[in-house]
Amino acid sequence: MRSNDLVAAALARLALLTQLEEGSPQSFRTRAYERAVDAVRLFPIDVSTLDVSELRAIDGVGDSTAKKIREFVDTGHIQVLDELSARYPDRFVALLQVPGVGPRTAITLRHELGIESVDQLRDAVTAEQLRELPGFGAKTEEKIGKAIDRLGLAGKDRRLPIGKALRIAEAIVDRLASIDGVNAVRYCGSLRRFRDTIADVDVLVVAEEPDPIVEAFVADPSVRETLGAGAGGASVTTDDMQIDLRVVPPDQFGSASLYFTGAKAHNIALRQRAIDRGWLLNEYGLMDGDTVVASATEEEIYRALDLDFISPELREDVGEIEAAAEGSLPDLVRVEDIRGDLHVHSTWSGDGRSSLEDMIGAAATRGLEYIAITEHGEDLSINGLSRETVIEERGQIEEIRARYPNLVILHGAELNIGRDGDVDYDAEFLAEFDWCVASVHSHFDLPMARQTDRVIKAVANPAINVIGHLTGRRIGRRPGIEIDFDAVLDAVADTGTALEINSHIDRLDVPADLLMRARRRDDVVFTISTDAHHTTEFANIKWGVSNSRRGWVERSRVVNIRPVHEFLTWLG
DNA sequence: GCCGTTTTCGGCCCGACTGTTTTCAGTCG
């Protein structure tokens, strides 16, 4: 883990324990620490190299936190944090994972009943001890008991990979859209912002009459439990996750979308901006007293606040509001910008599932101007192609080219970056390819220095045009390799090698937080490709595009939005 | 704890829901 992430983790723990200390999740000190967590995590420079005055210059980091960061970097500890950790051990802090238990309740439980862990809380519920406490009752006790039973499914920290959440959300959106009286349906929340893990799905429906929609929603067979349902909305759990529905009239679609999409910090900043103008912003609209200033669309609300429209993927309060105010938001990629797909497999690869002809036909149908067929290299057992097979496929591609005069078909390969940075085949054979992707498919747990060395060695290989799915992560299943990203950026800038933004929903690799770090240098270029193994997977490009947007990647930096002749010129 | 085209002190987003309460505290998003 790089030091910014380690520092951010320590500050996050400080924020959490400060909640307990102050007895409020929204104490100003807690919020200040939380703000510092984001500031450090996203800061492009390694904070361990900065002194206190440089740290203070980071927006959201003041004198006190700057000194704590320095203390952490120098000693590995923060004294205040150590003291808080002694007072609130992990098993006690775990109480906050129980829905309905906040800092105040946790402290009361400890003080009144000596409860120090979730297990002890469960025992106290069973013994009906909670209902005797001041401010508690039988219902609260029952609610906490049920929440503990559900902890595996609905603990506050539980998050699903975005791919799974998307499938669930899209199914719900389709079902709701088919109900009479529904004008529009949109999923919001962290899913719309395109975070790579999702805690719950928030769905917004536009309709004049909410009741029939709420009834149909809670009656769906996938619903396991209804947590609450009332005028205008409902919350349910399915086997996989919690889903919150909200139904609003058409004239509130914009304000409700903003509210429901977040991020919380983004909303707070917008509301502060409204206050500065003497207005009030809530989910019902932007108000000047009783007069509605704007509410029907997000666009008009941003405009009324003197801001350019901020795309949902950017709404994290990490500088997008300031950029929108001064007209310097990044020029982001749209799906229709993509003219080429530079990472495509067919059944020639062992794991491909559509034929070469079908893949090429699907690319042409999609209106692409160029593609690169990139079967696995020979070092990937079973799935990889021998030299003889490579040459055989090259012949077949040559035949197919004649039938697609408007599609430039590159014959490429996806090479395997070996343990020490070597790749498949030999230099002479590699020189025959039009396009080479090189990716890590093995040895995921080497130490950081070794990982960095092997990738940089591949970057320096003149045959290699782009590094595929850099970290090798599988969201929710496998963490990425440990790698010195700044060193990789230096290397690809030196050689002109591109970094791939892999569109597979389980990969989204390069991750968006790393893309943001790459953004401050203007000498790194990207491709956005699908890694399609089936004709239907060309459509996945939208996920790669969304990930690039979340990473603030500008259009000018993406190679495969260029017209084919410009692309070929770049390729040389 | 942080911050300042009204401020170096005095503010810090807004509302719904729940449960235990006769007016509010806590949690959540």
Side-chain angles (χ1 to χ4, degrees):
Chain A
M1 225 193 280
R2 73 188 183 116
S3 51
N4 287 30
D5 294 326
L6 291 169
V7 169
L11 292 176
R13 180 148 187 86
L14 191 56
L16 182 67
L17 299 186
T18 301
Q19 274 190 42
L20 285 164
E21 187 72 1
E22 309 222 334
S24 165
Q26 347 212 65
S27 84
F28 301 122
R29 189 172 289 141
T30 302
R31 280 173 46 184
Y33 284 139
E34 284 173 348
R35 180 136 189 260
V37 170
D38 285 339
V40 167
R41 196 168 50 81
L42 294 167
F43 201 65
I45 298 167
D46 185 336
V47 292
S48 69
T49 65
L50 304 178
D51 63 29
V52 169
S53 67
E54 289 167 325
L55 289 167
R56 281 189 60 183
I58 300 174
D59 197 25
V61 175
D63 192 46
S64 169
T65 303
K67 285 178 179 152
K68 289 186 176 74
I69 292 172
R70 220 32 259 179
E71 182 187 358
F72 182 76
V73 169
D74 291 338
T75 70
H77 292 269
I78 299 172
Q79 196 190 336
V80 178
L81 181 56
D82 290 346
E83 290 167 9
L84 288 171
S85 296
R87 211 169 313 158
Y88 308 107
D90 288 343
R91 64 179 194 286
F92 177 73
V93 176
L95 288 172
L96 297 178
Q97 287 306 308
V98 179
V101 176
R104 204 118 237 169
T105 304
I107 294 297
T108 303
L109 292 170
R110 166 186 264 186
H111 188 251
E112 297 289 332
L113 298 174
I115 288 170
E116 289 289 328
S117 68
V118 173
D119 283 341
Q120 289 175 12
L121 178 57
R122 183 187 280 113
D123 292 344
V125 168
T126 306
E128 300 190 347
Q129 289 176 311
L130 265 59
R131 59 183 64 193
E132 306 301 331
L133 301 180
F136 288 70
K139 282 203 173 170
T140 300
E141 185 178 80
E142 192 182 332
K143 198 175 90 177
I144 289 176
K146 283 173 74 174
I148 294 174
D149 292 340
R150 273 210 313 268
L151 208 50
L153 178 67
K156 286 175 215 165
D157 266 0
R158 185 189 143 91
R159 303 186 73 88
L160 283 186
I162 184 172
K164 187 160 191 179
L166 267 172
R167 285 191 288 278
I168 293 168
E170 288 177 337
I172 293 164
V173 166
D174 285 348
R175 283 204 303 271
L176 289 170
S178 68
I179 298 174
D180 278 348
V182 170
N183 295 339
V185 188
R186 165 186 281 166
Y187 60 74
C188 296
S190 52
L191 194 53
R192 185 163 177 241
R193 300 200 312 276
F194 214 71
R195 275 193 64 166
D196 51 28
T197 60
I198 309 294
D200 55 20
V201 170
D202 304 305
V203 184
L204 190 60
V205 169
V206 175
E208 299 284 0
E209 181 50 59
D211 292 349
I213 290 135
V214 173
E215 283 166 25
F217 176 68
V218 300
D220 191 90
S222 68
V223 170
R224 212 169 76 166
E225 185 181 4
T226 301
L227 302 173
S235 290
V236 304
T237 56
T238 66
D239 284 338
D240 298 299
M241 68 194 316
Q242 181 169 330
I243 303 167
D244 297 328
L245 170 76
R246 190 95 165 216
V247 187
V248 300
D251 61 351
Q252 291 172 3
F253 192 33
S255 46
S257 290
L258 274 183
Y259 160 71
F260 231 12
T261 300
K264 188 167 78 172
H266 179 87
N267 285 348
I268 289 174
L270 288 185
R271 288 168 177 182
Q272 188 59 53
R273 205 171 166 88
I275 290 170
D276 293 344
R277 286 160 175 70
W279 297 337
L280 171 73
L281 176 62
N282 58 28
E283 58 261 55
Y284 306 111
L286 178 61
M287 310 294 295
D288 180 3
D290 292 334
T291 308
V292 177
V293 178
S295 69
T297 67
E298 294 181 329
E299 285 80 357
E300 66 187 50
I301 294 170
Y302 281 116
R303 201 179 310 127
L305 293 171
D306 300 316
L307 296 170
D308 290 341
F309 178 76
I310 299 175
S311 185
E313 301 92 336
L314 302 181
R315 298 181 194 167
E316 299 287 347
D317 191 27
V318 291
E320 75 280 7
I321 292 174
E322 294 78 359
E326 62 185 31
S328 64
L329 281 170
D331 179 23
L332 300 175
V333 181
R334 298 156 302 178
V335 171
E336 56 269 29
D337 290 331
I338 301 290
R339 295 172 189 254
D341 195 332
L342 298 168
H343 188 166
V344 174
H345 297 269
S346 77
T347 45
W348 285 78
S349 290
D351 55 0
R353 301 192 312 285
S354 293
S355 70
L356 179 62
E357 291 89 340
D358 287 350
M359 293 301 285
I360 291 171
T365 302
R366 228 185 135 72
L368 291 176
E369 295 176 23
Y370 47 102
I371 63 168
I373 301 295
T374 53
E375 313 291 5
H376 289 293
E378 64 181 351
D379 293 350
L380 196 65
S381 58
I382 306 177
N383 291 330
L385 272 65
S386 69
R387 296 170 196 229
E388 294 72 23
T389 324
V390 167
I391 292 165
E392 196 183 335
E393 187 186 28
R394 183 171 298 150
Q396 192 167 353
I397 288 174
E398 186 54 39
E399 288 173 23
I400 295 173
R401 277 188 181 121
R403 303 207 295 273
Y404 294 94
N406 297 321
L407 180 66
V408 170
I409 305 170
L410 302 179
H411 180 223
E414 183 184 15
L415 307 170
N416 303 287
I417 300 176
R419 185 188 184 86
D420 296 311
D422 296 322
V423 297
D424 318 56
Y425 311 119
D426 58 66
E428 195 180 344
F429 194 82
L430 288 175
E432 296 299 312
F433 287 108
D434 303 321
W435 175 260
C436 286
V437 184
S439 316
V440 168
H441 289 120
S442 63
H443 303 100
F444 295 103
D445 44 14
L446 296 174
M448 181 157 83
R450 300 268 319 265
Q451 297 286 21
T452 306
D453 286 349
R454 73 194 276 227
V455 170
I456 287 179
K457 185 169 178 189
V459 167
N461 187 324
I464 290 167
N465 304 103
V466 60
I467 301 299
H469 48 71
L470 176 68
T471 77
R473 72 169 180 169
R474 306 285 292 197
I475 299 169
R477 284 192 302 184
R478 178 175 78 202
I481 58 173
E482 302 262 319
I483 194 162
D484 180 343
F485 187 58
D486 291 316
V488 171
L489 289 178
D490 286 339
V492 295
D494 273 352
T495 58
T497 310
L499 285 178
E500 174 188 87
I501 299 174
N502 188 290
S503 300
H504 196 292
I505 197 65
D506 295 335
R507 290 191 182 272
L508 300 176
D509 193 5
V510 178
D513 56 337
L514 293 185
L515 291 174
M516 280 192 80
R517 284 170 56 194
R519 179 175 181 270
R520 74 200 155 97
R521 37 193 311 169
D522 57 12
D523 51 1
V524 177
V525 295
F526 300 95
T527 64
I528 305 176
S529 294
T530 60
D531 199 356
H533 285 65
H534 187 271
T535 55
T536 56
E537 293 177 356
F538 282 112
N540 291 349
I541 193 72
K542 62 187 172 192
W543 307 133
V545 169
S546 292
N547 194 48
S548 80
R549 295 169 68 89
R550 190 169 166 82
W552 292 56
V553 173
E554 307 217 38
R555 295 173 70 245
S556 61
R557 311 280 294 282
V558 177
V559 171
N560 57 316
I561 71 167
R562 300 179 186 175
V564 63
H565 57 278
E566 280 183 35
F567 167 72
L568 292 174
T569 304
W570 171 79
L571 187 53

